[in-house]
Amino acid sequence: MAVQSSSMDAAGPYDRAKALNAFKTGDQAFYWITRISALSVLFILGGIILSLIVGAWPALREFGFSFLTTQRWAPSADPPVLGALGPIYGTLITSVIAMAIAIPVGIGIAIFLTELCPNWLRRPIGMAVELLAGIPSIIYGMWGFFVLGPFLANHVQPFMINAFEGVPVLGVIFAGPPSYLSLFNASLILAIMVLPFITSISVDVFKTVPPVLKEAAYGVGCTTWEVVRNVVIPYTRVGVIGGVMLALGRALGETMAVTFIIGNSFRITGSIFGPGTTISAAIASEFAESDGLHQSGLILLGLLLFVLTFFVLSAARLMLLRLEKKAGN
């Protein structure tokens, strides 16, 4: 027995050391796998930026800063004239209008689902919102072209044109004639497309509000509106803003649905009922038939969209950091 015990003691330290070495090797392998995975994101992002710069360099060298300030887009002219002012204008206008529609509607739906909705109705509405997020963008574009566009041109746009006719500024913004293909129609499609992002994220963050805070507010006599305004929104504003910025990023880069219904015109008009184009729609509609300087100009448009999205998301991140710092103070 003594011999067996001594042999086990001799083998014990060896087995423990071997096990520790195995754990150390596994940890190191896990560390490097996760590190390489994280760094690969930076390499991919850097590769995308580099390829865009290389492809856009001929147009950037040919047109320079005038590419941003020129409205005319005539790749077949001699010499070619390429200007990004029209697509930039269309991208910003459609995104702003879409967010102006989607933000209050999306947050309103989220408030209803979390604070007011009966239990039997909550699941059907929640599933409907999720289904909106799953519809392919080309389906939205076809629906907008064949259904929504004619409806807006025949019923909504004439009413708004007549209502604001002669009103300073608004009369220009809502000037006619009605059109199936317009900035307004594209904006409405974008609003419907980004609505699920705002609603879903808002619902998730509203559910994180501690019930005791709402119960305390109700206990001192607050109404539902006062509870939402003074408790729910302040407690979850960082998450809500994050959802809004995610939706804005989707609106800035949406392609197929907008291409169907915006009209693909590089001309800038003061009326939102006029045709226009966005950066992504211009690239999608012309890239297949482009070459040379024309193709380089489209790649430069893609680079501009990349930079625009980067600045928007960076500004959103800075805003969130300031809000978190203010809340911490």
Side-chain angles (χ1 to χ4, degrees):
M1 294 293 293
V3 174
Q4 182 179 2
S5 176
S6 62
S7 63
M8 290 178 63
D9 292 340
Y14 173 78
D15 292 339
R16 284 195 295 269
K18 185 176 181 180
L20 289 175
N21 287 332
F23 284 135
K24 185 177 180 181
T25 303
D27 284 343
Q28 288 180 344
F30 178 74
Y31 169 78
W32 281 106
I33 290 173
T34 54
R35 185 173 185 176
I36 292 173
S37 299
L39 292 176
S40 65
V41 176
L42 298 178
F43 287 125
I44 293 172
L45 184 62
I48 293 174
I49 297 174
L50 182 62
S51 61
L52 287 175
I53 293 175
V54 171
W57 182 251
L60 189 61
R61 182 179 55 192
E62 177 71 20
F63 301 106
F65 185 76
S66 64
F67 186 80
L68 301 176
T69 59
T70 302
Q71 177 180 339
R72 187 185 178 196
W73 185 270
S76 58
D78 190 17
V81 178
L82 301 178
L85 190 59
I88 294 174
Y89 172 82
T91 300
L92 296 178
I93 291 297
T94 53
S95 298
V96 168
I97 297 175
M99 299 308 296
I101 298 172
I103 290 174
V105 175
I107 295 178
I109 295 173
I111 292 172
F112 177 76
L113 288 175
T114 55
E115 304 294 332
L116 301 171
C117 184
N119 289 331
W120 62 270
L121 188 58
R122 187 168 297 165
R123 182 175 294 274
I125 295 179
M127 290 182 62
V129 171
E130 293 175 359
L131 286 174
L132 282 178
I135 298 176
S137 60
I138 194 169
I139 303 300
Y140 278 110
M142 294 174 63
W143 176 71
F145 183 82
F146 291 108
V147 179
L148 184 63
F151 174 79
L152 293 175
N154 295 328
H155 299 90
V156 177
Q157 293 182 13
F159 171 78
M160 298 178 72
I161 292 170
N162 294 330
F164 293 104
E165 186 177 5
V167 179
V169 182
L170 293 179
V172 177
I173 295 176
F174 296 99
S179 174
Y180 290 9
L181 308 174
S182 67
L183 293 168
F184 176 75
N185 297 3
S187 301
L188 192 54
I189 287 290
L190 283 178
I192 298 173
M193 294 182 68
V194 303
L195 184 64
F197 294 91
I198 299 174
T199 301
S200 298
I201 294 177
S202 298
V203 167
D204 290 339
V205 297
F206 287 167
K207 289 180 178 178
T208 65
V209 179
V212 66
L213 296 181
K214 295 190 286 186
E215 291 169 0
Y218 284 121
V220 297
C222 292
T223 63
T224 303
W225 162 243
E226 290 172 333
V227 171
V228 170
R229 184 184 62 183
N230 299 320
V231 177
V232 176
I233 297 295
Y235 189 88
T236 60
R237 59 184 175 183
V238 173
V240 172
I241 293 176
V244 169
M245 291 303 123
L246 179 64
L248 178 57
R250 172 71 187 274
L252 288 171
E254 178 53 41
T255 304
M256 293 309 301
V258 175
T259 304
F260 266 86
I261 201 170
I262 198 170
N264 296 317
S265 171
F266 286 81
R267 186 169 58 90
I268 296 177
T269 61
S271 174
I272 61 174
F273 296 148
T277 192
T278 63
I279 294 175
S280 54
I283 296 172
S285 60
E286 297 194 10
F287 196 83
E289 293 141 5
S290 65
D291 59 357
L293 196 60
H294 182 197
Q295 187 175 90
S296 179
L298 293 174
I299 296 176
L300 182 54
L301 283 179
L303 180 62
L304 290 176
L305 181 60
F306 184 93
V307 172
L308 178 63
T309 306
F310 173 79
F311 278 113
V312 169
L313 296 181
S314 299
R317 186 59 183 170
L318 291 175
M319 185 189 305
L320 293 178
L321 290 175
R322 292 186 62 183
L323 289 175
E324 292 175 355
K325 184 178 179 181
K326 185 177 180 181
N329 293 335

